[in-house]
Amino acid sequence: MADERDTILSVEDLEVRYASDDRDIVAVTDVSFAIERGQCLGLVGESGCGKSTIAMAILRYLGHQGRISKGRILFQSRDMAGLTAEDLRALRGGRIAAIYQGASTALNPTMAIGAQLAEVLRTHAGLDRNRISDRVLDMLAAVGISEPSGMIGRFPHQISGGQQQRVVIAMAFLAEPELLILDEPTTALDVTVEAEIMNLLGEMRAARGTAMLFISHNLGLVRQICHTISVMYAGQIVEHGSAQSVLDRPRHPYTIGMIACVPRLDLGRADYRLVSMPGQVPRLVEPPRCCTFMDRCAHAREGTCDRPMALEDMGGGARVRCSRWREVAGAGLSAPPAASATPILPRRDRILSLEGVSKTYEMHRLFNLSRKSAAKVRANDLISLELAAGETLGIVGESGCGKSTLARIVTGLEVPTGGWVRLLGGDVTRRMVERRSLRQVRNVQMVFQNPDSTLNPSHSVGFILERAVKKLGAATGRAARRAEVERLLDLVRMPRDITRVTAAHLSGGQKQRVAVARAFAGRPSLVVADEPTSALDTSVKTAILELLLSAQKESGTALIFISHDLAVVRYIADRIAVMYLGQIVEIGRADEVFTPPYHPYCEALLAAVPAVDGALDRRRPRLTGEVGRAVANAGSCLFAPRCARAIAGTCERFEPPVIEAAAGHLIRCHLPLADLCALPPVFGRRGGAAQTVSGWQPTNL
Amino acid sequence: MTGPATDTASAAARPSAQPQPGQAARRPRFRKLRRSKVLGIGIALIAFWVAVAILAPLIAPYGPNIQHTTALANPFPSSDHWFGADPLRRDIFSRIVWGARPVLLVAPAALFCANVVGIAIGMSAGFYGGWVDELCSRVIDVLLSFPKIVLYVVLIASLGPSALNIVVAVILVSSPGIGRLVRGLTIELKTRDFVTAARMRAESGFYIMLVEILPNARGPLIVDFCMRMGYTIIAIGVLGFLGLGLPPPNPDWGGMVREATPMLTVYPYMAIFPSLAIITLVMGFNLVADGLQDLDHGR
């Protein structure tokens, strides 16, 4: 144990309860941890496990319903419970700073950036005006804002999400906090921006020795920044240890399950199988009387697991809340056999083809009524692709790259401004969904991103599915429709009596299951899934992916799967299209796109994703800057301004050619194919592949 | 509370471990209802007046229009006439009891019609947009630009005082406001994914509006209905006070206040009792509106 003085925060036997309608809900129980100066502790777990509650409890922000019912929180050896309101106010934003997920809500929209930052110094440091503005400018430069003097005059809505989060970080560090609480600080950001923010946080910590509490559901991120990790489940810490030991040699069945749920970037679908965890996180109304994970645990034993679990010391500072951890670790994870590799499909019917499709939005400025001078924003630019029956096409790219616009054109929610769209042999270029033929409408369905908006909250599951069957399916008659609804519920593995439940009362994962069932109600030829898993927790995400795959296989449906999560796309897609600023910069089979030769943008995207597996070694140029707006195309490569491998004098002046790297594998780049082939693969394995197969990995590498 | 059902395959195989779906979903609402005092008082006030209106023949000691010569000299409240007698020596208590009927019949009926018209206009404006929206919105703007009470007076003065004309006036005065509310709700709701999903099932616009959008607008609409009930009851009272209410000798609270005004200093109770009736009923509806809003915001 380190010196007493070096312990910044220590939480002892914490229990937090929320008052509910009839009885208390135990949000956190029996939680103890300590963070030392310059250390970063990661709290990981699914939503509803009490991670954020701990952060709120530290700052005493529990609201009028929440209270600390047991234990204490010591900040620099002072008991937080004894602090007055005045002391607390000085502490918050001063010696303890917090950064939350939504940077835009953390900033005051009516104040200039500079003034907001200065406010921190006035309140917590009491400096005079000149010194304040110097400090603000220094800090903005330190968080990587290229032109600090220009930034101070701007308002939050005038800067991008990534820059907003930088400003929030600057604000947090200005008061020189001893402890920084980070609650999912990068979840709303693109992977590339996330990578930059994480680098920045790492540098700031190294330079200032700030202790950090990092809350995230993303295991890769946690590995990157944290020294120690506490895995939370149902309000308890179930496993604690160094980041490396927890992630490489997880002992608790929950940790093992969580890691097995994470799709991998370096392996294709044929090489491994995601294992989803059954069940969901229980909500406790009293301190648990048995292992909280028992219901979902494959290793659970009567007599051993049905009593309260204590954290057991495994040596080396590692602790686990499982009495059977030795047996569990010995058993390893019995991964089911791999899904058979998708065979290279014979040329089948093309159900969809896009040819030179473009979509331009006209930006009308206020008070500018002349149509001619309206600026044009190009969302899609000369997109050409084809989709065969039963095929899965993944579309990846940062936000703002036109992925969703492409989906809306295919589904007839938007009409392209140029090019041709052919669907099931018919031209639908100028046809919104209302003007398409019944056959064309029925055969294209969608799965949406936001589970809370995808189902009508006023309708019951039964009504929703029956209506879909009636309008989309072939079943006639009430009994036949009922049978069809039951088939769909079986397909998405939901109990049949769920039909009476109103959609508003379902959990996010359940809503998304019903949405999948609704989309497949009429056995469509094509389902467009626009980020269907990005709002879901890790274990639920995996389950939905499995469902999509099995539903697709059952009805022979083609799938367009849009996501910013490259690992998910790699797992689910046969072919992948990488989009940048409305253009497809690379398209090919999943394994082709993720290994050289690839487009420099694809390389940069891959390099930005944090990996859970520490054996992956990636030393790559980071992608800096942000997706701009493709306002006018001056015949250059759109990626050139951010490209680490741009050829000076060529890339910014000429439109790049399309190179055919292999049959069906196209790359839009100026670099010669030989150079692209020579790019080192992003996934090098440290010390050779043979040594790196760690215990938890699925056995069939 | 555990979710109504579990999320997964294995739990689906043993559903007995979970509470039956449906049961868990319904209970909390009633519990909340009991928790909101404001809502409870409002509902009690409305229920009181509804009971009075329904049971009028049993409660009222006399007919509303019977003149009592016994009260000629002493119209003050007495054991025979609890609230006293009015200038024409009719029993005020009985007139108030009977007067609850026209108010509780005309106001909700008129507002129901106004809601049908307002929802039709607002929903088509919000859903179709374009020129339909322009047209509807401009008509709404024009109607809303009149002061409400002026519109009422002008309409009733020109159409003549009768229950049906009050209904017509309420429709013309209230439906633009309802239309504007519904238009806003529709514009917001039609961007939801479940509406897109309905479009992708080739549902008709009519179906989408009525089945997909309208049920989700019910919360604000119910609150708005309660608020408007308050306004409308006041408006009917004001019309009665101006002599534009229900034609005499029907018992009409507003009209009763008007008849009492010349002798307010001598017989103030003649105006006070009918005013109290109006106040308590309006308050009932306003409290219900407040209570519902509080429940909505989880306060």
Side-chain angles (χ1 to χ4, degrees), chain A residues 41-246:
Chain A
L41 172 73
L43 279 183
V44 295
E46 291 173 276
S47 54
C49 282
K51 310 186 298 285
S52 295
T53 299
I54 291 179
M56 293 299 174
I58 292 169
L59 290 166
R60 294 256 302 273
Y61 272 142
L62 288 169
H64 63 277
Q65 285 184 315
R67 69 197 154 87
I68 297 172
S69 48
K70 217 169 101 187
R72 16 176 232 166
I73 297 170
L74 300 173
F75 178 65
Q76 294 184 318
S77 307
R78 268 178 81 192
D79 193 339
M80 297 278 284
L83 296 182
T84 61
E86 195 62 29
D87 293 341
L88 264 180
R89 216 178 52 180
L91 217 58
R92 292 170 180 161
R95 283 155 67 202
I96 304 180
I99 298 175
Y100 301 103
Q101 182 175 341
S104 54
T105 51
L107 296 172
N108 184 340
T110 62
M111 272 171 87
I113 303 288
Q116 296 192 44
L117 291 170
E119 199 179 36
V120 176
L121 287 177
R122 264 205 312 280
T123 321
H124 292 290
L127 297 177
D128 66 68
R129 190 164 293 196
N130 288 338
R131 300 224 346 251
I132 285 179
S133 81
D134 287 349
R135 285 278 308 278
V136 166
L137 288 176
D138 288 351
M139 185 54 73
L140 283 174
V143 297
I145 280 169
S146 50
E147 211 195 327
S149 50
M151 180 61 81
I152 54 173
R154 289 201 213 151
F155 286 87
H157 69 270
Q158 292 171 314
I159 60 178
S160 69
Q163 285 190 310
Q164 283 177 350
Q165 198 60 291
R166 281 170 194 271
V167 171
V168 172
I169 290 171
M171 198 183 268
F173 276 104
L174 262 183
E176 300 192 336
E178 311 280 348
L179 173 68
L180 184 59
I181 296 172
L182 299 142
D183 193 350
E184 307 262 6
T186 58
T187 305
L189 305 172
D190 269 319
V191 269
T192 50
V193 184
E194 175 180 83
E196 282 183 74
I197 296 286
M198 292 308 290
N199 269 359
L200 171 64
L201 285 171
E203 284 164 18
M204 298 292 274
R205 190 200 55 221
R208 284 151 212 266
T210 316
M212 285 185 180
L213 177 63
F214 188 90
I215 296 171
S216 180
H217 65 272
N218 186 330
L219 297 171
L221 280 186
V222 170
R223 171 168 210 123
Q224 197 182 335
I225 196 162
C226 296
H227 302 93
T228 49
I229 293 181
S230 287
V231 180
M232 293 217 43
Y233 183 76
Q236 292 178 316
I237 291 178
V238 294
E239 183 162 4
H240 175 88
S242 73
Q244 219 178 340
S245 75
V246 171

Side-chain angles (χ1 to χ4, degrees), chain A residues 20-22 25 277-280 282-283 285 295-296 408 411-413 432-434 438 441-442 444-446 448-450 452-459 463-464 467-468 471-472 493-495 497-498 500-502 505-511 513 518 540 543, chain B residues 1-29 31-32 35 127 189 191-205 207-208 210-218 298-299:
Chain A
S20 169
D21 276 350
D22 45 355
I25 287 170
M277 255 188 291
Q280 60 188 12
R283 201 168 285 180
V285 287
D295 280 355
R296 301 172 73 183
R408 293 177 67 84
T411 51
L413 299 170
M432 293 279 275
V433 64
E434 280 82 4
L438 204 56
V441 173
R442 282 180 172 176
V444 182
Q445 290 300 308
M446 239 182 133
F448 303 92
Q449 173 175 6
N450 182 356
D452 293 327
S453 138
T454 190
L455 303 181
N456 193 328
S458 306
H459 293 170
F463 178 88
I464 290 167
R467 186 73 194 179
K471 294 296 282 188
L472 304 172
R493 291 179 211 126
M494 288 188 89
D497 56 359
I498 200 125
R500 284 177 289 132
V501 179
T502 320
H505 294 111
L506 299 177
S507 72
Q510 289 175 322
K511 284 176 187 165
R513 277 168 197 266
R518 178 180 63 187
V540 184
Chain B
M1 194 186 75
T2 324
T6 46
D7 199 12
T8 58
S10 90
R14 43 186 175 96
S16 56
Q18 292 291 324
Q20 287 299 304
Q23 281 178 359
R26 240 170 247 143
R27 252 179 308 142
R29 188 177 282 185
R31 196 178 302 143
K32 265 186 182 173
R35 231 177 36 187
F127 186 72
L189 285 167
T191 61
R192 302 281 176 90
D193 292 335
F194 58 79
V195 173
T196 311
R199 287 174 68 193
M200 304 203 57
R201 288 201 299 269
E203 300 280 10
S204 69
Y207 175 91
I208 293 177
L210 285 186
V211 183
E212 299 284 348
I213 294 178
L214 188 58
N216 294 302
R218 67 179 187 272
R299 262 176 274 156

Side-chain angles (χ1 to χ4, degrees), chain A residues 467-483:
Chain A
R467 186 73 194 179
V469 168
K470 186 177 176 189
K471 294 296 282 188
L472 304 172
T476 48
R478 213 178 160 130
R481 283 204 297 272
R482 283 274 164 83

Side-chain angles (χ1 to χ4, degrees), chain A residues 534-548:
Chain A
S534 31
L536 303 173
D537 261 319
T538 323
S539 69
V540 184
K541 184 184 286 190
T542 313
I544 297 287
L545 287 181
E546 292 292 340
L547 280 187
L548 271 172

